[in-house]
Amino acid sequence: MKKRSFPKGLNKSIVKELSQIKGEPLWMTEFRVRSYETFVSKALPDWGPDLSNLDFQDIHYYIYPGEMVNDWSDVPSEIKETFDQLGIPEHEKKFLAGVSTQYESEIVYHNLHERYADSGIIFDSIDEGLKKFPKIFKQYFGKLIPPEDNIMAALNSAVWSGGSFVYVPKGVKMNIPIETYFRINSENMGQFERTLIIADEGSEVHYIEGCTAPQYSTQSLHSAVVELYALKDSHIKYTTIQNWSKNVYNLVTKRGLAEENARIEWLDINLGSKITMKYPSVILRGDNSHGEVLSMALANQDQILDTGAKMIHLGKNTSSVIDSRTISAGNGKAVYRGKAKITKGAENSKALVNCDGLLLDEGSRSYAYPYNIVSNDSSTIEHEASVSKIALEQLEYLMSRGLDGDSAKQLIISGFVDPVVNELPLEYSVELERLLQMMTESEGKGHKKTIKEA
């Protein structure tokens, strides 16, 4: 059946048709239908930001942009122009082992450098992963985040389209990141990609996702699901640079499972969107496993960024770190919401939680809701939290040394987010510094362009 875009709205027939036009096996169609039934049976969360204005029937759940290609010159011109502006071809040449780009509901371009493909690494669109590697796909897909987990996971599971499938064989270490770019380019669009990454024993991989969208007057929805499996002695680093426009609801579920001696790191940067709800988590099932979340949220005018992390300690001698930094400006509202849980069997485990907020003016808001549990006597949780304003004394001191007001603010903010910037690849750290500079220069002036569209 020829692929086509769908009109607004969602029902069981659309879910079945989506599976049909993708040529999926029966088990996936049944999975989608079960997920849809779960979605309609659940209510929106009664905590966190108000989502009552989100109209699920006023969204396009599938927009077909064209077939996937492996040569940049074959990407349709109107799509290629968008990604050229984002600098994707240049990033691929200089910094990446492979790149994948999603436009609306499908991957439109995909490439993995030959020397990595020869090592047995699988880096493909998730739709192709289902077709080409059905056994390993079915073994892991939807097991860590089932549809019943929450309403947005159920919605994604019903209408997922696009995203990445990554498998790194035993002992293979990727010393250059791979990256996927996600772009919403239509009004009232819903993007529902899935990411599934499996790092086999002793392997390493760094995956980066970048997200952008133009500004429209109507709402759009981004609801992704990410599942990470770090097998024995493996290491996964997952970096997100989210810069959706301020008409996007960004409601995602991200979770990793770390086996014995495995390590999962999330570097999570949230800059755009109307509302974000995102709490990357790690289940530390294996002994001596480690989880880490380093996150930053920048809530500017009319934004609510409700972010944080979860660490669940199951194995012995496990360790975790949550380091959250939020910046609020204008009437922006930044929230840390997190959980560190050390279970009874997770003996001799340690968790460190740090959540700091920086307020740039009187109208901005910062909140922290930590939830920490220790269920055995041999383990410890350390927790720190602070909310501060830029002090007049600091500004006056820096200005007395020759800096103007904006430059003084920028220097203070840069010091606050320095631990995050230091973990970014060079090209992204430069972009982040530019965005922070734009924010201080634009403070109080209303709408400003995003870093990618300035």
Side-chain angles (χ1 to χ4, degrees), residues 224-243:
V225 167
V226 176
E227 296 175 299
L228 309 181
Y229 293 88
L231 304 189
K232 182 180 178 182
D233 298 319
S234 66
H235 181 191
I236 298 175
K237 183 173 183 178
Y238 195 106
T239 297
T240 300
I241 304 163
Q242 179 271 112
N243 197 19

Side-chain angles (χ1 to χ4, degrees), residues 34 111 135 150 161 209 372 385 402:
R34 173 169 66 89
N111 189 42
K135 185 176 180 180
N150 64 77
S161 185
E209 65 174 11
N372 302 322

Side-chain angles (χ1 to χ4, degrees), residues 5-157:
S5 302
F6 290 168
K8 292 180 182 178
L10 183 63
N11 54 51
K12 189 181 294 187
S13 296
I14 285 179
V15 172
K16 290 181 177 179
E17 184 176 357
L18 177 59
S19 189
Q20 185 178 8
I21 66 174
K22 287 177 171 290
E24 295 175 343
L26 178 61
W27 75 264
M28 181 55 74
T29 304
E30 293 174 343
F31 175 84
R32 288 185 183 272
V33 171
R34 173 169 66 89
S35 301
Y36 171 76
E37 292 172 346
T38 301
F39 166 69
V40 297
S41 71
K42 287 183 174 291
L44 288 169
D46 57 3
W47 50 270
D50 180 9
L51 303 177
S52 60
N53 289 327
L54 182 56
D55 185 353
F56 290 107
Q57 294 303 323
D58 192 35
I59 292 172
H60 294 277
Y61 284 87
Y62 182 79
I63 295 180
Y64 177 60
E67 295 293 336
M68 184 179 77
V69 297
N70 301 106
D71 189 320
W72 191 255
S73 63
D74 293 332
V75 176
S77 59
E78 68 276 11
I79 298 176
K80 184 164 62 176
E81 181 179 351
T82 299
F83 286 117
D84 280 340
Q85 292 173 355
L86 298 179
I88 291 173
E90 199 64 25
H91 283 178
E92 180 182 4
K93 291 175 186 176
K94 292 184 176 180
F95 308 112
L96 302 171
V99 68
S100 185
T101 61
Q102 178 159 335
Y103 190 91
E104 313 298 24
S105 300
E106 295 281 6
I107 296 293
V108 295
Y109 170 75
H110 176 84
N111 189 42
L112 178 66
H113 288 189
E114 186 175 331
R115 67 187 175 112
Y116 289 100
D118 290 344
S119 66
I121 293 169
I122 300 169
F123 174 42
D124 216 326
S125 75
I126 197 159
D127 297 86
E128 290 300 305
L130 173 60
K131 295 175 183 178
K132 296 177 181 177
F133 312 99
K135 185 176 180 180
I136 189 171
F137 190 99
K138 190 173 183 180
Q139 179 182 352
Y140 290 100
F141 182 88
K143 300 300 192 297
L144 195 53
I145 304 175
E148 295 77 14
D149 190 86
N150 64 77
I151 185 172
M152 300 314 299
L155 177 61
N156 175 283
S157 298

Side-chain angles (χ1 to χ4, degrees), residues 177-191:
I178 54 177
E179 182 161 4
T180 300
Y181 295 83
F182 298 99
R183 176 76 172 183
I184 296 175
N185 220 58
S186 300
E187 295 188 72
N188 299 104
M189 170 65 192
Q191 193 171 79

